[in-house]
């Protein structure tokens, strides 16, 4: 039994026709038919039933084809691991982040990693409202700065950054310009929120419940940072955000005031647990060094 034969089985099952499968596999139809008969003889079971339009899996064939798919997927992962090490210091590293990420640490880490690995192209990928963890599991990014709380299932994560939270207000608001306010000072203000994030994420950002046991006054929803800030600027609501967002999204019609009595945002550097990508390990080392220098 060889991987080549497993690919034959999967392709025949997918096409339901030996002739079409042979075309996709770049082998002759007689050669593919012979290979199938040889496998059936080796396994001692019939894998496909023939009919006028082609073939269909038997009960045994369905089980064996399913295992063949898993075997081929594993073989592809083995090959990919080898290719990552073959690339060494070349390739592409996709770094996910949300809004202002981990503040200046995000930009500094990408720049320092690029300096140490001149053959690697670093691609920043921005996501909204907790999506960066899902993007890691989906394979859209290799490593990400994840705002907590978040679902870290299947991920390895280490906290690399903390920062205070602030409230965003329209510039003419009565609290604008203060050095700091309590979350209870804005208890009666409608608060921006999103339906795109899990409820636990929304409640943490909204400080729900509040220290006095009350619940926020829910305001308009949004799908991204830009929509949120537009509605805050026009006076429709206030928003809670990390301090770095106040710096990265400064605009004259907004005022940012420190929230003095809420826990800070924690940002984790995360990647798929067990990832053998050497570029991810190299990036993580850069982030650790820079984060240690910031302490």
């Amino acid at each position: 039994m060889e991987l080549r034969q497993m690919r034959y089985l999967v392709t025949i099952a997918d096409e339901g026709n030996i002739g079409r499968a042979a075309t996709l596999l770049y082998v002759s139809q007689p050669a593919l038919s012979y290979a199938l008969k040889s496998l059936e003889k080796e396994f001692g079971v019939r894998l496909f039933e023939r009919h006028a339009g082609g073939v269909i899996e038997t009960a045994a064939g369905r089980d064996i084809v399913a295992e063949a798919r898993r075997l081929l997927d594993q073989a592809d992962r083995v090959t990919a691991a080898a290719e990552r090490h073959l690339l060494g210091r070349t390739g592409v590293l996709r770094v996910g982040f949300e809004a202002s990420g981990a503040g200046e640490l995000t930009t500094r880490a990408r720049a320092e990693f690029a300096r140490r690995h001149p053959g690697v192209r670093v691609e920043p990928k921005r996501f909204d409202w907790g999506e960066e963890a899902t993007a890691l599991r989906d394979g859209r990014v290799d490593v990400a700065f994840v705002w907590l709380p978040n679902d870290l299932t299947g991920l390895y994560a280490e906290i690399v950054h903390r920062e205070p939270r602030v409230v965003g207000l329209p510039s003419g608001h009565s609290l604008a310009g203060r050095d700091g306010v309590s979350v209870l000072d804005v208890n009666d203000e409608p608060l921006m929120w999103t339906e795109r994030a899990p409820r636990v994420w929304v409640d943490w950002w909204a400080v729900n419940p509040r220290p006095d046991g009350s619940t926020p006054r829910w305001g308009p929803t949004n799908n991204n940072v830009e929509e949120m800030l537009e509605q805050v600027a026009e006076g429709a609501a206030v928003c809670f955000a990390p301090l770095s967002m106040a710096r990265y999204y400064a605009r004259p019609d907004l005022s940012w005031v420190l929230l003095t009595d809420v826990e800070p945002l924690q940002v984790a550097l995360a990647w798929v647990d067990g990832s053998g990508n050497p570029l991810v390990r190299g990036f993580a080392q850069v982030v650790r060094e820079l984060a240690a220098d910031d302490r």
Side-chain angles (χ1 to χ4, degrees), residues 11-22 29 32 52-55:
T11 305
I12 293 171
D14 288 343
E15 294 301 313
N17 183 284
I18 292 179
R20 290 197 298 268
Q29 183 171 338
L32 185 57
V55 296

Side-chain angles (χ1 to χ4, degrees), residues 148-195:
L148 302 180
N150 208 314
D151 178 11
L152 300 176
T153 302
L155 304 178
Y156 173 81
E158 51 189 75
I159 295 172
V160 296
H161 178 70
R162 293 176 176 83
E163 61 179 272
R165 283 188 280 173
V166 295
V167 56
L169 308 162
S171 57
H173 195 280
S174 61
L175 297 176
R178 290 197 183 184
D179 293 332
V181 295
S182 163
V183 67
L184 296 179
D185 291 332
V186 292
N187 228 22
D188 295 330
E189 299 285 350
L191 180 69
M192 293 295 308
W193 65 291
T194 182
E195 296 176 309

Side-chain angles (χ1 to χ4, degrees), residues 161-167 204-205 241-245 247 258-260 262-266:
H161 178 70
R162 293 176 176 83
E163 61 179 272
R165 283 188 280 173
V166 295
V167 56
W204 186 85
W205 275 103
L243 180 60
S244 58
M245 188 178 290
R247 296 167 177 162
L258 183 69
L259 286 167
T260 59
V262 301
E263 61 182 314
L265 167 68
Q266 296 189 103

Side-chain angles (χ1 to χ4, degrees), residues 7 26 29 57 102 129 137 143 150-151 163 165 168 172 186 189 202-203 210 226 228 233 236 254 257 262:
R7 295 192 191 279
Y26 298 100
Q29 183 171 338
E57 295 155 289
W129 306 155
R137 286 189 288 269
V143 63
N150 208 314
D151 178 11
E163 61 179 272
R165 283 188 280 173
V186 292
E189 299 285 350
V202 172
D203 284 338
R210 299 288 166 81
E226 289 73 20
M228 179 181 76
L254 289 177
V257 180
V262 301

Side-chain angles (χ1 to χ4, degrees), residues 201-280:
W201 193 95
V202 172
D203 284 338
W204 186 85
W205 275 103
V207 194
N208 183 29
R210 299 288 166 81
D212 63 355
S214 63
T215 59
R217 180 184 169 195
W218 300 107
T221 62
N222 66 87
N223 292 318
N224 53 57
V225 172
E226 289 73 20
E227 290 180 5
M228 179 181 76
L229 297 185
E230 278 297 310
Q231 295 181 84
V232 172
E234 69 186 27
V238 301
C239 69
F240 294 162
L243 180 60
S244 58
M245 188 178 290
R247 296 167 177 162
Y248 281 55
Y249 291 88
R251 43 189 286 179
D253 49 4
L254 289 177
S255 177
W256 299 95
V257 180
L258 183 69
L259 286 167
T260 59
D261 55 353
V262 301
E263 61 182 314
L265 167 68
Q266 296 189 103
V267 182
L269 185 71
W271 57 90
V272 173
D273 197 14
S275 171
N277 189 337
L279 299 181
V280 169

Side-chain angles (χ1 to χ4, degrees), residues 4-74:
R4 170 180 54 83
Q5 294 171 306
M6 297 300 97
R7 295 192 191 279
Y8 286 176
L9 285 185
V10 169
T11 305
I12 293 171
D14 288 343
E15 294 301 313
N17 183 284
I18 292 179
R20 290 197 298 268
T23 299
L24 289 175
L25 292 165
Y26 298 100
V27 298
S28 68
Q29 183 171 338
L32 185 57
S33 295
Y34 178 80
L36 175 57
K37 290 178 182 177
S38 297
L39 273 175
E40 289 180 328
K41 183 178 179 180
E42 179 180 345
F43 292 148
V45 294
R46 182 176 289 276
L47 302 176
F48 294 92
E49 294 289 354
R50 279 69 172 174
H51 59 81
V55 296
I56 187 169
E57 295 155 289
T58 63
R62 282 193 296 273
D63 288 346
I64 291 172
V65 167
E67 293 299 331
R69 291 186 194 279
R70 283 190 278 271
L71 181 62
L72 292 173
D73 287 343
Q74 184 62 48

